[in-house]
């Protein structure tokens, strides 16, 4: 067992030991998600985790190479909900941790450092669950969005681990997928994400679709109250040549909101 698997086992055990009343588990429940999903871990005391690693025979060098140490030689993560990032083969290669106590100071999400195992610009969250015989893929922004879509029956859902889509990730999608649907938040950030994908990666336009959710919601929020996503639209059809990309997306969002309110 390598050091990342060892630490992951600690995080999984600590999550299971959290009481159901803990704010992290309550947040998951409030999102409409399965609190017992085995995708979650919990990083308690980083000092205790490091002590456990040392007792198990691991050295600081092992932790450093795995991208788990900060500049003070302490474990990066403490008091965070943990998501394990796995390779295609199912090996744990990194973590993303969500802070619930002081996100303004420490950052809401933190990723493992780049390491011998992991470069966050190269991979996706949820790659270990990809069905390579299924050529239909979804790309979302958040890790909770992946989990929510999986729990609603959507397969091959990926997230980019806190980065904008990179050329390396686009290359992977191009090779793996015949049909790619970008499910993006119906807010300014979602608009900008669609714009960047459309402008920067013309090679995937023919096989790409767009779903932009109404009322500024993300997929997790939307699927809490709905069993399925809105219909997708071909990316190339979504944009009109005689207007700017951003104006067309914003107009689409306004239309969807108007239709939603009129139906109430």
């Amino acid at each position: 067992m390598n050091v990342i698997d060892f630490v992951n086992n600690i995080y999984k055990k600590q999550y299971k030991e959290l009481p159901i009343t803990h704010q992290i588990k309550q947040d998951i429940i409030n999102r409409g998600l399965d609190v017992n999903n085995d995708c979650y871990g919990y990083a308690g005391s980083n000092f205790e985790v490091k002590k456990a690693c040392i007792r198990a025979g691991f050295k600081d060098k092992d932790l450093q190479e795995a991208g788990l140490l900060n500049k003070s030689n302490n474990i990066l993560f403490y008091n965070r909900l943990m998501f394990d990032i796995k390779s295609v083969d199912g090996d744990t290669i990194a973590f993303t941790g969500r802070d619930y106590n002081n996100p303004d100071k420490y950052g809401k999400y933190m990723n493992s450092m780049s390491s011998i195992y992991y470069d966050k610009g190269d991979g996706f969250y949820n790659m270990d669950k990809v069905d390579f015989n299924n050529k239909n893929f979804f790309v979302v922004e958040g890790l909770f969005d992946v989990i929510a879509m999986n729990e609603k029956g959507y397969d091959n859902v990926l997230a980019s681990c806190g980065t904008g889509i990179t050329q390396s990730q686009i290359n992977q999608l191009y090779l793996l997928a015949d049909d790619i649907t970008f499910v993006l938040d119906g807010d300014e950030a979602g608009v900008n994400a669609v714009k960047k994908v459309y402008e920067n990666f013309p090679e995937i336009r023919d096989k790409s679709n767009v779903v932009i959710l109404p009322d500024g919601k993300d997929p997790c929020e939307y699927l809490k109250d709905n069993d399925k996503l809105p219909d997708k639209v071909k990316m190339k059809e979504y944009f009109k040549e005689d207007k700017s990309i951003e104006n067309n997306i914003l107009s689409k969002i306004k239309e969807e909101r108007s239709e939603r309110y009129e139906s109430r």
Side-chain angles (χ1 to χ4, degrees), residues 36-262:
N36 295 314
N37 192 318
D38 64 5
C39 64
Y40 302 119
Y42 174 67
S45 167
N46 55 347
F47 298 108
E48 292 302 318
V49 172
K50 187 174 181 182
K51 285 181 183 178
C53 290
I54 299 303
R55 286 196 299 268
F58 295 107
K59 309 297 184 185
D60 277 5
K61 180 183 177 182
D62 301 318
L63 292 164
Q64 190 74 51
E65 289 180 347
L68 295 177
L69 292 186
N70 59 23
K71 293 179 181 179
S72 302
N73 261 12
N74 293 320
I75 298 288
L76 280 170
F77 306 103
Y78 59 93
N79 292 333
R80 287 178 181 262
L81 174 65
M82 301 301 294
F83 303 85
D84 51 341
I85 301 169
K86 296 180 180 293
S87 68
V88 173
D89 297 324
D91 299 319
T92 303
I93 57 175
F95 300 99
T96 294
R98 187 192 192 284
D99 183 79
Y100 280 82
N101 296 314
N102 201 342
D104 292 335
K105 181 177 181 180
Y106 299 111
K108 182 180 288 187
Y109 287 94
M110 177 187 291
N111 292 305
S112 296
M113 307 291 285
S114 292
S115 71
I116 59 175
Y117 304 104
Y118 170 72
D119 183 335
K120 69 179 182 179
D122 283 342
F124 291 96
Y125 175 70
N126 211 39
M127 277 295 288
D128 56 305
K129 293 184 173 65
V130 166
D131 175 4
F132 293 101
N133 293 316
N134 180 352
K135 298 299 182 181
N136 299 319
F137 280 71
F138 296 88
V139 179
V140 296
E141 295 182 69
L143 308 189
F144 281 123
D145 300 331
V146 172
I147 296 165
M149 287 184 63
N150 282 164
E151 290 186 3
K152 288 289 187 176
Y154 290 92
D155 297 321
N156 287 7
V157 186
L158 305 175
S160 59
C161 300
T163 67
I165 297 289
T166 66
Q167 185 66 60
S168 174
Q169 291 166 329
I170 289 295
N171 292 343
Q172 293 177 61
L173 289 171
Y174 184 84
L175 292 173
L176 293 173
D178 293 334
D179 188 270
I180 309 164
T181 300
F182 292 88
V183 187
L184 301 164
D185 302 359
D187 56 15
E188 185 176 354
V191 170
N192 290 333
V194 173
K195 180 179 180 181
K196 288 178 181 178
V197 170
Y198 183 80
E199 289 185 332
N200 296 337
F201 307 112
E203 65 268 35
I204 64 164
R205 289 178 186 170
D206 286 336
K207 59 171 68 179
S208 292
N209 313 287
V210 176
V211 173
I212 296 186
L213 300 171
D215 300 329
K217 291 185 176 181
D218 60 37
C220 184
E221 293 168 332
Y222 185 84
L223 290 172
K224 181 180 179 180
D225 301 316
N226 299 273
D227 289 329
K228 64 179 184 178
L229 297 170
D231 292 339
K232 62 187 179 183
V233 178
K234 294 296 291 183
M235 181 176 278
K236 291 181 73 172
E237 295 175 4
Y238 201 77
F239 305 117
K240 297 176 182 177
E241 297 298 332
D242 58 342
K243 293 182 180 179
S244 73
I245 292 169
E246 187 169 350
N247 285 342
N248 274 284
I249 300 173
L250 289 171
S251 295
K252 180 68 175 177
I253 293 172
K254 289 177 182 177
E255 289 174 10
E256 290 173 345
R257 287 179 178 174
S258 177
E259 290 173 0
R260 184 183 180 91
Y261 292 138
E262 287 174 1

